[in-house]
Amino acid sequence: MHLKYESQLREPLVDGDKDYHQVTEDIVRPIEAKPTRLWYIGFYIAAALLLFGVYSVYREVTYGIGQWNLNKTVGWGWDITNFVWWVGIGHAGTLISAILLLFRQGWRTGVNRAAEAMTIFAVMCAGQFPIFHMGRVWMAFFVLPYPNTRGPLWVNFNSPLLWDVFAISTYFTVSLLFWYSGLLPDFATVRDRAFTKLRKRLYGIASFGWTGSTKHWQRHESLSLVLAGLSTPLVLSVHTIVSFDFATSVIPGWHTTIFPPYFVAGAVFSGFAMVQTLMIIVRKVFQMDDYITLGHIEAMNKVIVLTGSIVGVAYLTELFMGWYSQNKYEGYTFWYSRAYLFSPYGWSYWGMMACNVISPQIFWFRKMRRNLFVTFFMSIIVNIGMWFERFVIIVTSLYRDYLPSSWSVYYSPTIWEIGFYAGTFGLFFVCFFLFAKYFPVIAIAEIKYVLKTSGENYKSKVGHIEEQPLEAFVHEHAHHH
């Protein structure tokens, strides 16, 4: 046990009377049990959505981008909106696992495994959108810069769209390594408890022959530290580069220098909201209330209120600059296309404002931060708001340009655009259901690491010692020497 004293005022990270064995039992139980009926219902709904998404993509690939309601004015629509939205959702995972690891925040242990899995699945969903936006998707490998026989034909290294290819692929790789290296000790635990030959074999392969020797743990910890160091700049760089997709252009409403920090804050905001949505369900279904405590949920709500307020400041800054710059095109975009309620898209701007800036302020109250229903409801509201933010940025900047004759009257998606979006939800939840069934949803080794300093029963023992007068303590322990 690492001797780290923790104040009695700090709330325990693991509730209930737990020892190491009990922790293993609680977390491995869902893996060893048969899937519940609820699991099957959820899984099949997700699979049906995924199939509808596959069909929607089939329509678009076969008949062309015209299957979506994109036109010469609104050239980016739901597809890029959803791309940015999914990338944003992935951000909480790396923030929890990398930055909070480096800052030694104990509460990350309960949520990091699920958040990292969520990152990987969200990036998988996000990647689909730019790929199928290409129209001629069989040319997708053209984005990779390698010596070729097409001329050679090289990519444009000045384009932020190419930077995006590098950023997202790096992000996916590092997140995958981080998540998997954390899973190794837990797979070994499941392997050692396995009661069928096949399961022992498969978890044995998955755990790479982990035996839990000191050398393994030492390498595991140094690897975690190195990966955390690599992922920390990624948390900032990935969404910065996504924001460059807009910010390096010359379209009013897009070429704003505030975009990078504001996108990063928005990404962490929507990511934590998604973690809340999933974790509240997981702790209910798997009875994990002792590991994902109200303290964990409150800590995440604090992050949500912080990042939500940063995003709010960014919105107000944009509006102020739209007026202060005295550029009539900027002014028109911000004050008419967006902020004027009765303009064609005014409703979406105010929907975004209500969901992202006004509603999270409820979390200034401790009672609300610790209320499960409020948190669950708010986490969904926040992600609706973040979706609208991306929609507002893309569509309200594009649908009216410098040439009134090419103004788009109104852009709304076709059923195949909606189907593609629904299909990525299907993909996400199919992956998440499989993950929840076959993998430990909470990092067993991490929980055990904080158990003796932050577990409720261990803290109460220390509390008892603390209250004793010195003489009683000495008397009690004298016979040991």
Side-chain angles (χ1 to χ4, degrees), residues 292-329:
I292 303 160
T293 63
L294 285 176
H296 288 85
I297 284 164
E298 181 182 15
M300 290 195 281
N301 282 335
K302 286 176 180 170
V303 177
I304 286 177
V305 74
L306 168 72
T307 47
S309 305
I310 294 175
V311 167
V313 170
Y315 293 159
L316 297 176
T317 309
E318 283 191 321
L319 282 176
F320 172 73
M321 291 313 292
W323 165 78
Y324 187 65
S325 64
Q326 288 297 301
N327 175 323
K328 55 181 183 262
Y329 304 108

Short mmCIF file of all heavy atoms in Angstrom, two decimals, residues 292-329:
data_model
loop_
_atom_site.label_atom_id
_atom_site.label_comp_id
_atom_site.label_asym_id
_atom_site.label_seq_id
_atom_site.Cartn_x
_atom_site.Cartn_y
_atom_site.Cartn_z
N ILE A 292 -19.01 4.17 -8.58
CA ILE A 292 -19.28 5.48 -9.19
C ILE A 292 -20.21 6.17 -8.20
O ILE A 292 -21.43 6.01 -8.25
CB ILE A 292 -19.95 5.30 -10.56
CG1 ILE A 292 -19.05 4.46 -11.47
CG2 ILE A 292 -20.19 6.65 -11.21
CD1 ILE A 292 -19.78 3.85 -12.63
N THR A 293 -19.63 6.91 -7.28
CA THR A 293 -20.41 7.47 -6.18
C THR A 293 -20.98 8.82 -6.58
O THR A 293 -20.65 9.36 -7.65
CB THR A 293 -19.51 7.66 -4.95
OG1 THR A 293 -18.50 8.61 -5.29
CG2 THR A 293 -18.87 6.37 -4.54
N LEU A 294 -21.80 9.39 -5.72
CA LEU A 294 -22.29 10.75 -5.97
C LEU A 294 -21.12 11.73 -6.01
O LEU A 294 -21.19 12.75 -6.68
CB LEU A 294 -23.28 11.15 -4.87
CG LEU A 294 -24.66 10.50 -5.00
CD1 LEU A 294 -25.54 10.86 -3.83
CD2 LEU A 294 -25.34 10.89 -6.30
N GLY A 295 -20.04 11.40 -5.30
CA GLY A 295 -18.86 12.26 -5.34
C GLY A 295 -18.26 12.34 -6.74
O GLY A 295 -17.87 13.41 -7.19
N HIS A 296 -18.21 11.20 -7.43
CA HIS A 296 -17.70 11.19 -8.81
C HIS A 296 -18.60 12.05 -9.70
O HIS A 296 -18.12 12.82 -10.53
CB HIS A 296 -17.71 9.77 -9.38
CG HIS A 296 -16.68 8.86 -8.80
ND1 HIS A 296 -16.87 8.16 -7.64
CD2 HIS A 296 -15.43 8.54 -9.23
CE1 HIS A 296 -15.79 7.44 -7.37
NE2 HIS A 296 -14.90 7.65 -8.33
N ILE A 297 -19.90 11.88 -9.52
CA ILE A 297 -20.85 12.58 -10.38
C ILE A 297 -20.76 14.08 -10.12
O ILE A 297 -20.77 14.89 -11.05
CB ILE A 297 -22.26 12.00 -10.16
CG1 ILE A 297 -22.30 10.65 -10.89
CG2 ILE A 297 -23.34 12.92 -10.68
CD1 ILE A 297 -23.43 9.76 -10.52
N GLU A 298 -20.59 14.44 -8.85
CA GLU A 298 -20.46 15.87 -8.53
C GLU A 298 -19.19 16.45 -9.15
O GLU A 298 -19.20 17.55 -9.71
CB GLU A 298 -20.43 16.08 -7.01
CG GLU A 298 -20.33 17.56 -6.68
CD GLU A 298 -20.25 17.85 -5.19
OE1 GLU A 298 -20.00 16.94 -4.40
OE2 GLU A 298 -20.45 19.01 -4.84
N ALA A 299 -18.08 15.69 -9.08
CA ALA A 299 -16.82 16.19 -9.65
C ALA A 299 -16.99 16.45 -11.15
O ALA A 299 -16.52 17.48 -11.67
CB ALA A 299 -15.71 15.18 -9.40
N MET A 300 -17.68 15.54 -11.84
CA MET A 300 -17.86 15.73 -13.28
C MET A 300 -18.79 16.92 -13.56
O MET A 300 -18.58 17.65 -14.52
CB MET A 300 -18.40 14.45 -13.91
CG MET A 300 -17.35 13.35 -13.92
SD MET A 300 -17.73 11.98 -15.00
CE MET A 300 -18.88 11.08 -14.03
N ASN A 301 -19.78 17.12 -12.70
CA ASN A 301 -20.66 18.27 -12.90
C ASN A 301 -19.92 19.58 -12.71
O ASN A 301 -20.25 20.58 -13.34
CB ASN A 301 -21.86 18.19 -11.95
CG ASN A 301 -22.90 17.21 -12.45
OD1 ASN A 301 -22.96 16.95 -13.66
ND2 ASN A 301 -23.70 16.66 -11.57
N LYS A 302 -18.91 19.57 -11.85
CA LYS A 302 -18.10 20.79 -11.68
C LYS A 302 -17.36 21.11 -12.97
O LYS A 302 -17.26 22.27 -13.38
CB LYS A 302 -17.12 20.63 -10.52
CG LYS A 302 -17.78 20.70 -9.16
CD LYS A 302 -16.78 20.44 -8.06
CE LYS A 302 -17.45 20.51 -6.69
NZ LYS A 302 -16.55 20.02 -5.63
N VAL A 303 -16.83 20.06 -13.62
CA VAL A 303 -16.15 20.28 -14.90
C VAL A 303 -17.14 20.82 -15.93
O VAL A 303 -16.83 21.71 -16.72
CB VAL A 303 -15.50 18.98 -15.41
CG1 VAL A 303 -14.86 19.19 -16.77
CG2 VAL A 303 -14.47 18.47 -14.43
N ILE A 304 -18.37 20.28 -15.90
CA ILE A 304 -19.38 20.71 -16.86
C ILE A 304 -19.73 22.19 -16.67
O ILE A 304 -19.81 22.95 -17.63
CB ILE A 304 -20.63 19.81 -16.76
CG1 ILE A 304 -20.32 18.46 -17.39
CG2 ILE A 304 -21.83 20.45 -17.45
CD1 ILE A 304 -21.44 17.45 -17.31
N VAL A 305 -19.89 22.61 -15.43
CA VAL A 305 -20.27 24.01 -15.23
C VAL A 305 -19.11 24.93 -15.60
O VAL A 305 -19.31 26.01 -16.17
CB VAL A 305 -20.79 24.27 -13.78
CG1 VAL A 305 -19.68 24.29 -12.76
CG2 VAL A 305 -21.56 25.57 -13.72
N LEU A 306 -17.88 24.50 -15.37
CA LEU A 306 -16.71 25.31 -15.74
C LEU A 306 -16.62 25.46 -17.26
O LEU A 306 -16.57 26.58 -17.78
CB LEU A 306 -15.43 24.68 -15.20
CG LEU A 306 -14.14 25.30 -15.77
CD1 LEU A 306 -13.91 26.69 -15.18
CD2 LEU A 306 -12.93 24.43 -15.51
N THR A 307 -16.61 24.31 -17.97
CA THR A 307 -16.43 24.39 -19.42
C THR A 307 -17.64 25.04 -20.09
O THR A 307 -17.49 25.78 -21.06
CB THR A 307 -16.17 23.00 -20.02
OG1 THR A 307 -17.13 22.10 -19.50
CG2 THR A 307 -14.79 22.51 -19.66
N GLY A 308 -18.84 24.81 -19.53
CA GLY A 308 -20.03 25.46 -20.09
C GLY A 308 -19.94 26.96 -19.99
O GLY A 308 -20.33 27.69 -20.91
N SER A 309 -19.39 27.44 -18.89
CA SER A 309 -19.26 28.89 -18.72
C SER A 309 -18.19 29.46 -19.65
O SER A 309 -18.34 30.57 -20.17
CB SER A 309 -18.94 29.23 -17.26
OG SER A 309 -19.93 28.65 -16.43
N ILE A 310 -17.11 28.69 -19.88
CA ILE A 310 -16.08 29.15 -20.83
C ILE A 310 -16.70 29.29 -22.22
O ILE A 310 -16.49 30.29 -22.93
CB ILE A 310 -14.90 28.15 -20.87
CG1 ILE A 310 -14.16 28.14 -19.53
CG2 ILE A 310 -13.93 28.52 -22.00
CD1 ILE A 310 -13.06 27.10 -19.45
N VAL A 311 -17.51 28.30 -22.60
CA VAL A 311 -18.18 28.35 -23.90
C VAL A 311 -19.10 29.56 -23.97
O VAL A 311 -19.16 30.26 -24.98
CB VAL A 311 -18.95 27.03 -24.13
CG1 VAL A 311 -19.90 27.14 -25.30
CG2 VAL A 311 -17.97 25.89 -24.38
N GLY A 312 -19.80 29.84 -22.85
CA GLY A 312 -20.68 31.02 -22.81
C GLY A 312 -19.92 32.31 -23.04
O GLY A 312 -20.34 33.19 -23.80
N VAL A 313 -18.74 32.43 -22.40
CA VAL A 313 -17.91 33.63 -22.59
C VAL A 313 -17.51 33.74 -24.06
O VAL A 313 -17.51 34.82 -24.64
CB VAL A 313 -16.66 33.57 -21.68
CG1 VAL A 313 -15.68 34.66 -22.05
CG2 VAL A 313 -17.06 33.70 -20.22
N ALA A 314 -17.19 32.60 -24.68
CA ALA A 314 -16.79 32.62 -26.10
C ALA A 314 -17.93 33.12 -26.98
O ALA A 314 -17.71 33.92 -27.89
CB ALA A 314 -16.35 31.22 -26.53
N TYR A 315 -19.16 32.65 -26.72
CA TYR A 315 -20.30 33.12 -27.52
C TYR A 315 -20.44 34.63 -27.42
O TYR A 315 -20.66 35.32 -28.42
CB TYR A 315 -21.61 32.49 -27.03
CG TYR A 315 -21.73 31.00 -27.22
CD1 TYR A 315 -22.62 30.26 -26.46
CD2 TYR A 315 -20.98 30.33 -28.17
CE1 TYR A 315 -22.74 28.89 -26.62
CE2 TYR A 315 -21.09 28.97 -28.33
CZ TYR A 315 -21.97 28.25 -27.55
OH TYR A 315 -22.09 26.90 -27.70
N LEU A 316 -20.33 35.14 -26.18
CA LEU A 316 -20.52 36.58 -25.98
C LEU A 316 -19.38 37.35 -26.65
O LEU A 316 -19.60 38.42 -27.21
CB LEU A 316 -20.60 36.89 -24.48
CG LEU A 316 -21.82 36.24 -23.81
CD1 LEU A 316 -21.81 36.50 -22.30
CD2 LEU A 316 -23.12 36.75 -24.40
N THR A 317 -18.16 36.79 -26.59
CA THR A 317 -17.03 37.44 -27.25
C THR A 317 -17.28 37.54 -28.75
O THR A 317 -17.03 38.58 -29.37
CB THR A 317 -15.74 36.64 -27.00
OG1 THR A 317 -15.61 36.40 -25.61
CG2 THR A 317 -14.53 37.39 -27.50
N GLU A 318 -17.80 36.46 -29.32
CA GLU A 318 -18.09 36.47 -30.76
C GLU A 318 -19.09 37.56 -31.11
O GLU A 318 -18.91 38.28 -32.08
CB GLU A 318 -18.68 35.12 -31.18
CG GLU A 318 -17.67 34.01 -31.32
CD GLU A 318 -18.27 32.79 -31.99
OE1 GLU A 318 -19.42 32.45 -31.72
OE2 GLU A 318 -17.57 32.18 -32.80
N LEU A 319 -20.15 37.65 -30.31
CA LEU A 319 -21.15 38.67 -30.59
C LEU A 319 -20.55 40.07 -30.47
O LEU A 319 -20.79 40.94 -31.30
CB LEU A 319 -22.33 38.55 -29.59
CG LEU A 319 -23.33 37.44 -29.88
CD1 LEU A 319 -24.37 37.36 -28.77
CD2 LEU A 319 -24.01 37.66 -31.22
N PHE A 320 -19.73 40.25 -29.43
CA PHE A 320 -19.11 41.56 -29.22
C PHE A 320 -18.21 41.91 -30.41
O PHE A 320 -18.26 43.01 -30.93
CB PHE A 320 -18.30 41.54 -27.92
CG PHE A 320 -17.47 42.79 -27.73
CD1 PHE A 320 -18.08 43.99 -27.41
CD2 PHE A 320 -16.09 42.75 -27.90
CE1 PHE A 320 -17.31 45.14 -27.24
CE2 PHE A 320 -15.33 43.88 -27.74
CZ PHE A 320 -15.94 45.08 -27.41
N MET A 321 -17.39 40.94 -30.86
CA MET A 321 -16.48 41.22 -31.98
C MET A 321 -17.26 41.48 -33.26
O MET A 321 -16.82 42.26 -34.11
CB MET A 321 -15.51 40.06 -32.18
CG MET A 321 -14.48 39.90 -31.09
SD MET A 321 -13.65 41.41 -30.61
CE MET A 321 -12.69 41.76 -32.08
N GLY A 322 -18.41 40.82 -33.42
CA GLY A 322 -19.23 41.06 -34.60
C GLY A 322 -19.65 42.52 -34.67
O GLY A 322 -19.75 43.09 -35.76
N TRP A 323 -19.87 43.12 -33.49
CA TRP A 323 -20.25 44.54 -33.48
C TRP A 323 -19.01 45.43 -33.51
O TRP A 323 -18.93 46.38 -34.27
CB TRP A 323 -21.07 44.82 -32.21
CG TRP A 323 -21.20 46.29 -31.92
CD1 TRP A 323 -22.04 47.17 -32.52
CD2 TRP A 323 -20.44 47.04 -30.96
NE1 TRP A 323 -21.85 48.43 -32.01
CE2 TRP A 323 -20.87 48.38 -31.05
CE3 TRP A 323 -19.43 46.70 -30.05
CZ2 TRP A 323 -20.34 49.38 -30.25
CZ3 TRP A 323 -18.89 47.69 -29.26
CH2 TRP A 323 -19.35 49.02 -29.36
N TYR A 324 -18.01 45.07 -32.70
CA TYR A 324 -16.85 45.93 -32.49
C TYR A 324 -15.98 46.04 -33.74
O TYR A 324 -15.39 47.08 -33.99
CB TYR A 324 -16.02 45.36 -31.32
CG TYR A 324 -14.87 46.23 -30.87
CD1 TYR A 324 -15.12 47.47 -30.30
CD2 TYR A 324 -13.56 45.79 -31.00
CE1 TYR A 324 -14.07 48.25 -29.87
CE2 TYR A 324 -12.51 46.57 -30.58
CZ TYR A 324 -12.76 47.81 -30.01
OH TYR A 324 -11.73 48.58 -29.58
N SER A 325 -15.91 44.97 -34.52
CA SER A 325 -15.07 44.99 -35.73
C SER A 325 -15.63 45.97 -36.76
O SER A 325 -14.91 46.37 -37.67
CB SER A 325 -15.02 43.60 -36.34
OG SER A 325 -16.31 43.23 -36.78
N GLN A 326 -16.91 46.31 -36.65
CA GLN A 326 -17.58 47.18 -37.62
C GLN A 326 -17.47 46.63 -39.04
O GLN A 326 -17.47 47.39 -40.01
CB GLN A 326 -17.01 48.61 -37.54
CG GLN A 326 -17.43 49.35 -36.28
CD GLN A 326 -18.93 49.57 -36.20
OE1 GLN A 326 -19.53 50.19 -37.07
NE2 GLN A 326 -19.57 49.05 -35.17
N ASN A 327 -17.32 45.31 -39.15
CA ASN A 327 -17.33 44.67 -40.46
C ASN A 327 -18.76 44.25 -40.72
O ASN A 327 -19.32 43.45 -39.98
CB ASN A 327 -16.38 43.46 -40.42
CG ASN A 327 -16.42 42.66 -41.71
OD1 ASN A 327 -17.46 42.52 -42.33
ND2 ASN A 327 -15.27 42.14 -42.10
N LYS A 328 -19.37 44.83 -41.78
CA LYS A 328 -20.81 44.60 -41.92
C LYS A 328 -21.17 43.14 -42.19
O LYS A 328 -22.23 42.68 -41.81
CB LYS A 328 -21.42 45.53 -42.96
CG LYS A 328 -20.81 45.49 -44.33
CD LYS A 328 -21.55 46.51 -45.22
CE LYS A 328 -21.02 46.48 -46.64
NZ LYS A 328 -20.04 47.54 -46.91
N TYR A 329 -20.23 42.39 -42.81
CA TYR A 329 -20.53 40.98 -43.08
C TYR A 329 -20.49 40.16 -41.79
O TYR A 329 -21.34 39.31 -41.55
CB TYR A 329 -19.56 40.42 -44.12
CG TYR A 329 -19.57 41.23 -45.38
CD1 TYR A 329 -18.50 42.06 -45.72
CD2 TYR A 329 -20.68 41.21 -46.23
CE1 TYR A 329 -18.53 42.83 -46.87
CE2 TYR A 329 -20.72 41.97 -47.38
CZ TYR A 329 -19.64 42.79 -47.69
OH TYR A 329 -19.67 43.56 -48.83
#
